[in-house]
Amino acid sequence: MTSFEVKAIGRVESPLTDLASAPRQADEGAPEAWLAFEPDMLEGLRSIRPGDQVIVITWLDRARRDLLSLHPRGDTSRKQEGVFSTRSPHRPNPIGLHRVEVTAVEGRRVRVRSLEALDGTPILDLKPVLSEEISER
Amino acid sequence: MTSFEVKAIGRVESPLTDLASAPRQADEGAPEAWLAFEPDMLEGLRSIRPGDQVIVITWLDRARRDLLSLHPRGDTSRKQEGVFSTRSPHRPNPIGLHRVEVTAVEGRRVRVRSLEALDGTPILDLKPVLSEEISER
């Protein structure tokens, strides 16, 4: 397979350090976290403001890449599904998508609400939410 | 910076072959397309059904990675913004997110509605849309 190189443009700083106790989704009690970007990414952040709805794209560096089927949410009472029908971190390219609200910006550090990613998780990208992707909540 | 290797798990097959004429977003006249997955990804696709709302994650292989500010939508009458406040393909990690509906599944080929990615674009991941991400449209 063709491959490409992605780079960590920053890291998540979060009180979540333990995979077992981390919430599986942001609406399941995830805490506020900081997105700490690399110094040379500052220019790309210059239009980010508190209140922005953004999608954080992460590299789930503690995930397995060799699973193609699994029990959703690790619940063995549920039948196995193909990984592309689940949001499991375990997948061939362990890319995480996290929709969050920006609550503060301090230089190259961006504070966000309800992020379920673990402390130290590499950040690959940050994108604004488009209007047609806006949540009903 | 730390880097990671992502692999192309498939390719987009689309009538869109020309960057200049491609729509910038899916709601701007994007055509149906096929997601043609690698043979060894078949097991991961087994729960995908027509009607599924999914997020296709692509590698925008024709993008520039050295831009941190730009005019949104290439419109020089608009002031430059940091790339992380835009959905421009040009960004340090040129990862594309495309929300689409599955219209057909034929083995390891998945047909989707309204995809603005160019023919040949590498696919990195496929995820179901979560209920809180459901569009208002």
Short mmCIF file of all heavy atoms in Angstrom, two decimals, chain B residues 83-120:
data_model
loop_
_atom_site.label_atom_id
_atom_site.label_comp_id
_atom_site.label_asym_id
_atom_site.label_seq_id
_atom_site.Cartn_x
_atom_site.Cartn_y
_atom_site.Cartn_z
N VAL B 83 -4.71 28.85 8.45
CA VAL B 83 -5.31 27.67 7.79
C VAL B 83 -6.20 26.86 8.71
O VAL B 83 -7.13 26.21 8.24
CB VAL B 83 -4.26 26.70 7.18
CG1 VAL B 83 -3.65 27.28 5.93
CG2 VAL B 83 -3.22 26.27 8.19
N PHE B 84 -5.95 26.89 10.01
CA PHE B 84 -6.75 26.06 10.91
C PHE B 84 -8.16 26.62 11.13
O PHE B 84 -8.99 25.97 11.76
CB PHE B 84 -6.01 25.83 12.23
CG PHE B 84 -4.68 25.13 12.05
CD1 PHE B 84 -3.51 25.68 12.57
CD2 PHE B 84 -4.60 23.94 11.34
CE1 PHE B 84 -2.29 25.06 12.39
CE2 PHE B 84 -3.38 23.30 11.15
CZ PHE B 84 -2.22 23.87 11.68
N SER B 85 -8.40 27.83 10.59
CA SER B 85 -9.77 28.38 10.59
C SER B 85 -10.42 28.23 9.24
O SER B 85 -11.47 28.83 8.98
CB SER B 85 -9.73 29.85 11.00
OG SER B 85 -9.29 29.97 12.34
N THR B 86 -9.82 27.48 8.33
CA THR B 86 -10.38 27.26 7.00
C THR B 86 -10.45 25.76 6.73
O THR B 86 -9.81 24.97 7.41
CB THR B 86 -9.51 27.89 5.89
OG1 THR B 86 -8.40 27.03 5.61
CG2 THR B 86 -9.02 29.28 6.28
N ARG B 87 -11.19 25.40 5.67
CA ARG B 87 -11.24 24.01 5.24
C ARG B 87 -10.38 23.82 3.99
O ARG B 87 -10.54 22.85 3.26
CB ARG B 87 -12.69 23.59 4.99
CG ARG B 87 -13.51 23.49 6.27
CD ARG B 87 -13.08 22.37 7.19
NE ARG B 87 -13.58 21.09 6.78
CZ ARG B 87 -14.58 20.43 7.34
NH1 ARG B 87 -15.20 20.95 8.40
NH2 ARG B 87 -14.96 19.27 6.89
N SER B 88 -9.47 24.76 3.74
CA SER B 88 -8.56 24.62 2.60
C SER B 88 -7.83 23.27 2.62
O SER B 88 -7.46 22.77 3.68
CB SER B 88 -7.50 25.74 2.67
OG SER B 88 -6.46 25.46 1.74
N PRO B 89 -7.62 22.66 1.44
CA PRO B 89 -6.79 21.45 1.41
C PRO B 89 -5.33 21.72 1.78
O PRO B 89 -4.60 20.80 2.18
CB PRO B 89 -6.90 20.98 -0.05
CG PRO B 89 -7.35 22.16 -0.83
CD PRO B 89 -8.13 23.05 0.12
N HIS B 90 -4.90 22.96 1.63
CA HIS B 90 -3.50 23.29 1.89
C HIS B 90 -3.31 23.51 3.39
O HIS B 90 -3.84 24.46 3.96
CB HIS B 90 -3.10 24.56 1.12
CG HIS B 90 -3.44 24.48 -0.34
ND1 HIS B 90 -2.89 23.54 -1.18
CD2 HIS B 90 -4.29 25.20 -1.10
CE1 HIS B 90 -3.38 23.69 -2.40
NE2 HIS B 90 -4.24 24.68 -2.38
N ARG B 91 -2.55 22.61 4.03
CA ARG B 91 -2.36 22.63 5.48
C ARG B 91 -1.25 21.64 5.81
O ARG B 91 -0.90 20.80 4.99
CB ARG B 91 -3.66 22.28 6.19
CG ARG B 91 -4.32 21.03 5.69
CD ARG B 91 -5.85 21.01 5.88
NE ARG B 91 -6.26 21.43 7.19
CZ ARG B 91 -7.06 22.48 7.43
NH1 ARG B 91 -7.56 23.19 6.44
NH2 ARG B 91 -7.38 22.82 8.67
N PRO B 92 -0.67 21.75 7.01
CA PRO B 92 0.51 20.92 7.31
C PRO B 92 0.29 19.42 7.10
O PRO B 92 1.16 18.74 6.55
CB PRO B 92 0.80 21.26 8.77
CG PRO B 92 0.33 22.68 8.92
CD PRO B 92 -0.92 22.75 8.09
N ASN B 93 -0.87 18.91 7.53
CA ASN B 93 -1.26 17.53 7.22
C ASN B 93 -2.53 17.60 6.37
O ASN B 93 -3.61 17.86 6.91
CB ASN B 93 -1.52 16.73 8.50
CG ASN B 93 -0.25 16.47 9.29
OD1 ASN B 93 0.73 15.94 8.77
ND2 ASN B 93 -0.26 16.87 10.56
N PRO B 94 -2.42 17.39 5.06
CA PRO B 94 -3.57 17.62 4.18
C PRO B 94 -4.59 16.50 4.24
O PRO B 94 -4.74 15.71 3.31
CB PRO B 94 -2.93 17.76 2.80
CG PRO B 94 -1.69 16.94 2.88
CD PRO B 94 -1.20 17.08 4.31
N ILE B 95 -5.29 16.45 5.37
CA ILE B 95 -6.32 15.44 5.63
C ILE B 95 -7.68 16.04 5.27
O ILE B 95 -8.00 17.14 5.70
CB ILE B 95 -6.28 15.02 7.11
CG1 ILE B 95 -4.98 14.27 7.41
CG2 ILE B 95 -7.51 14.19 7.49
CD1 ILE B 95 -4.72 14.02 8.87
N GLY B 96 -8.45 15.32 4.46
CA GLY B 96 -9.77 15.79 4.06
C GLY B 96 -10.86 15.04 4.81
O GLY B 96 -10.74 13.83 5.04
N LEU B 97 -11.92 15.75 5.20
CA LEU B 97 -13.10 15.12 5.82
C LEU B 97 -14.29 15.34 4.91
O LEU B 97 -14.55 16.48 4.49
CB LEU B 97 -13.43 15.78 7.17
CG LEU B 97 -12.41 15.72 8.29
CD1 LEU B 97 -13.00 16.36 9.54
CD2 LEU B 97 -12.00 14.29 8.56
N HIS B 98 -15.01 14.28 4.61
CA HIS B 98 -16.12 14.36 3.68
C HIS B 98 -17.29 13.58 4.24
O HIS B 98 -17.21 12.36 4.39
CB HIS B 98 -15.74 13.75 2.33
CG HIS B 98 -14.37 14.12 1.85
ND1 HIS B 98 -14.11 15.19 1.03
CD2 HIS B 98 -13.16 13.56 2.11
CE1 HIS B 98 -12.81 15.27 0.79
NE2 HIS B 98 -12.20 14.29 1.44
N ARG B 99 -18.36 14.27 4.55
CA ARG B 99 -19.53 13.58 5.07
C ARG B 99 -20.43 13.19 3.91
O ARG B 99 -20.87 14.05 3.14
CB ARG B 99 -20.27 14.51 6.00
CG ARG B 99 -21.28 13.74 6.78
CD ARG B 99 -22.24 14.60 7.48
NE ARG B 99 -23.45 13.83 7.52
CZ ARG B 99 -24.44 14.08 8.33
NH1 ARG B 99 -24.36 15.08 9.14
NH2 ARG B 99 -25.51 13.33 8.29
N VAL B 100 -20.70 11.91 3.77
CA VAL B 100 -21.47 11.42 2.62
C VAL B 100 -22.45 10.33 3.05
O VAL B 100 -22.32 9.74 4.12
CB VAL B 100 -20.55 10.85 1.52
CG1 VAL B 100 -19.72 11.95 0.87
CG2 VAL B 100 -19.66 9.74 2.06
N GLU B 101 -23.39 10.05 2.15
CA GLU B 101 -24.32 8.95 2.35
C GLU B 101 -23.92 7.80 1.44
O GLU B 101 -23.63 8.00 0.26
CB GLU B 101 -25.74 9.40 2.02
CG GLU B 101 -26.77 8.29 2.22
CD GLU B 101 -28.18 8.74 1.85
OE1 GLU B 101 -28.43 9.96 1.83
OE2 GLU B 101 -29.01 7.85 1.57
N VAL B 102 -23.91 6.59 1.99
CA VAL B 102 -23.64 5.40 1.19
C VAL B 102 -24.88 5.08 0.36
O VAL B 102 -26.00 5.03 0.89
CB VAL B 102 -23.29 4.20 2.10
CG1 VAL B 102 -23.17 2.91 1.28
CG2 VAL B 102 -22.01 4.47 2.86
N THR B 103 -24.70 4.88 -0.96
CA THR B 103 -25.85 4.56 -1.81
C THR B 103 -25.79 3.12 -2.31
O THR B 103 -26.82 2.59 -2.74
CB THR B 103 -25.94 5.52 -3.01
OG1 THR B 103 -24.72 5.46 -3.76
CG2 THR B 103 -26.16 6.96 -2.54
N ALA B 104 -24.62 2.48 -2.28
CA ALA B 104 -24.51 1.09 -2.71
C ALA B 104 -23.22 0.50 -2.16
O ALA B 104 -22.25 1.22 -1.90
CB ALA B 104 -24.51 0.99 -4.23
N VAL B 105 -23.23 -0.82 -1.97
CA VAL B 105 -22.02 -1.54 -1.57
C VAL B 105 -21.88 -2.75 -2.49
O VAL B 105 -22.81 -3.55 -2.62
CB VAL B 105 -22.10 -2.02 -0.10
CG1 VAL B 105 -20.81 -2.74 0.30
CG2 VAL B 105 -22.37 -0.86 0.84
N GLU B 106 -20.75 -2.85 -3.16
CA GLU B 106 -20.49 -4.00 -4.03
C GLU B 106 -19.12 -4.54 -3.67
O GLU B 106 -18.10 -4.09 -4.18
CB GLU B 106 -20.51 -3.57 -5.51
CG GLU B 106 -21.89 -3.11 -5.97
CD GLU B 106 -21.92 -2.71 -7.44
OE1 GLU B 106 -20.89 -2.88 -8.14
OE2 GLU B 106 -22.97 -2.21 -7.88
N GLY B 107 -19.12 -5.54 -2.74
CA GLY B 107 -17.84 -6.09 -2.30
C GLY B 107 -17.03 -5.02 -1.61
O GLY B 107 -17.48 -4.42 -0.63
N ARG B 108 -15.82 -4.76 -2.12
CA ARG B 108 -14.97 -3.75 -1.47
C ARG B 108 -15.10 -2.38 -2.14
O ARG B 108 -14.24 -1.52 -1.95
CB ARG B 108 -13.52 -4.23 -1.44
CG ARG B 108 -12.95 -4.52 -2.80
CD ARG B 108 -11.60 -5.23 -2.67
NE ARG B 108 -11.09 -5.65 -3.95
CZ ARG B 108 -10.34 -4.87 -4.75
NH1 ARG B 108 -10.05 -3.64 -4.41
NH2 ARG B 108 -9.91 -5.35 -5.89
N ARG B 109 -16.16 -2.20 -2.88
CA ARG B 109 -16.43 -0.89 -3.49
C ARG B 109 -17.72 -0.32 -2.88
O ARG B 109 -18.75 -0.98 -2.81
CB ARG B 109 -16.59 -1.03 -5.01
CG ARG B 109 -15.26 -1.38 -5.71
CD ARG B 109 -15.49 -1.89 -7.12
NE ARG B 109 -16.26 -0.98 -7.96
CZ ARG B 109 -15.76 0.08 -8.57
NH1 ARG B 109 -14.47 0.37 -8.46
NH2 ARG B 109 -16.53 0.84 -9.31
N VAL B 110 -17.60 0.93 -2.43
CA VAL B 110 -18.71 1.60 -1.74
C VAL B 110 -19.06 2.86 -2.52
O VAL B 110 -18.20 3.71 -2.76
CB VAL B 110 -18.30 1.96 -0.29
CG1 VAL B 110 -19.40 2.75 0.41
CG2 VAL B 110 -17.95 0.70 0.50
N ARG B 111 -20.33 2.96 -2.94
CA ARG B 111 -20.75 4.13 -3.71
C ARG B 111 -21.30 5.18 -2.74
O ARG B 111 -22.06 4.84 -1.82
CB ARG B 111 -21.82 3.73 -4.73
CG ARG B 111 -22.24 4.87 -5.66
CD ARG B 111 -22.23 4.42 -7.10
NE ARG B 111 -22.70 5.43 -8.03
CZ ARG B 111 -21.88 6.15 -8.79
NH1 ARG B 111 -20.56 5.97 -8.75
NH2 ARG B 111 -22.37 7.05 -9.63
N VAL B 112 -20.93 6.43 -2.96
CA VAL B 112 -21.38 7.50 -2.06
C VAL B 112 -21.87 8.70 -2.87
O VAL B 112 -21.45 8.93 -3.99
CB VAL B 112 -20.26 7.96 -1.10
CG1 VAL B 112 -19.81 6.81 -0.20
CG2 VAL B 112 -19.08 8.56 -1.85
N ARG B 113 -22.76 9.46 -2.23
CA ARG B 113 -23.36 10.63 -2.85
C ARG B 113 -22.51 11.87 -2.56
O ARG B 113 -21.99 12.01 -1.46
CB ARG B 113 -24.75 10.82 -2.23
CG ARG B 113 -25.77 11.55 -3.10
CD ARG B 113 -27.01 11.87 -2.33
NE ARG B 113 -27.75 10.74 -1.80
CZ ARG B 113 -28.56 9.94 -2.49
NH1 ARG B 113 -28.73 10.13 -3.79
NH2 ARG B 113 -29.21 8.95 -1.90
N SER B 114 -22.38 12.72 -3.53
CA SER B 114 -21.85 14.08 -3.34
C SER B 114 -20.47 14.13 -2.67
O SER B 114 -20.32 14.65 -1.57
CB SER B 114 -22.82 14.94 -2.52
OG SER B 114 -24.01 15.12 -3.21
N LEU B 115 -19.48 13.59 -3.35
CA LEU B 115 -18.12 13.63 -2.82
C LEU B 115 -17.29 14.59 -3.68
O LEU B 115 -17.20 14.43 -4.90
CB LEU B 115 -17.50 12.24 -2.84
CG LEU B 115 -16.09 12.13 -2.26
CD1 LEU B 115 -16.07 12.49 -0.78
CD2 LEU B 115 -15.53 10.73 -2.46
N GLU B 116 -16.66 15.57 -3.03
CA GLU B 116 -15.93 16.60 -3.78
C GLU B 116 -14.45 16.25 -3.98
O GLU B 116 -13.70 17.05 -4.51
CB GLU B 116 -16.08 17.98 -3.12
CG GLU B 116 -15.27 18.20 -1.83
CD GLU B 116 -15.93 17.62 -0.59
OE1 GLU B 116 -16.82 16.76 -0.71
OE2 GLU B 116 -15.50 18.01 0.51
N ALA B 117 -14.04 15.03 -3.57
CA ALA B 117 -12.63 14.64 -3.73
C ALA B 117 -12.33 14.24 -5.18
O ALA B 117 -13.19 13.70 -5.88
CB ALA B 117 -12.30 13.48 -2.79
N LEU B 118 -11.11 14.50 -5.62
CA LEU B 118 -10.70 14.19 -6.99
C LEU B 118 -10.48 12.69 -7.19
O LEU B 118 -10.14 11.96 -6.25
CB LEU B 118 -9.38 14.91 -7.30
CG LEU B 118 -9.44 16.43 -7.39
CD1 LEU B 118 -8.04 16.98 -7.62
CD2 LEU B 118 -10.39 16.88 -8.49
N ASP B 119 -10.63 12.27 -8.43
CA ASP B 119 -10.33 10.89 -8.82
C ASP B 119 -8.91 10.51 -8.38
O ASP B 119 -7.97 11.28 -8.61
CB ASP B 119 -10.46 10.76 -10.34
CG ASP B 119 -10.32 9.32 -10.80
OD1 ASP B 119 -11.10 8.47 -10.35
OD2 ASP B 119 -9.42 9.06 -11.62
N GLY B 120 -8.77 9.37 -7.77
CA GLY B 120 -7.44 8.90 -7.36
C GLY B 120 -7.03 9.30 -5.96
O GLY B 120 -5.98 8.85 -5.48
#
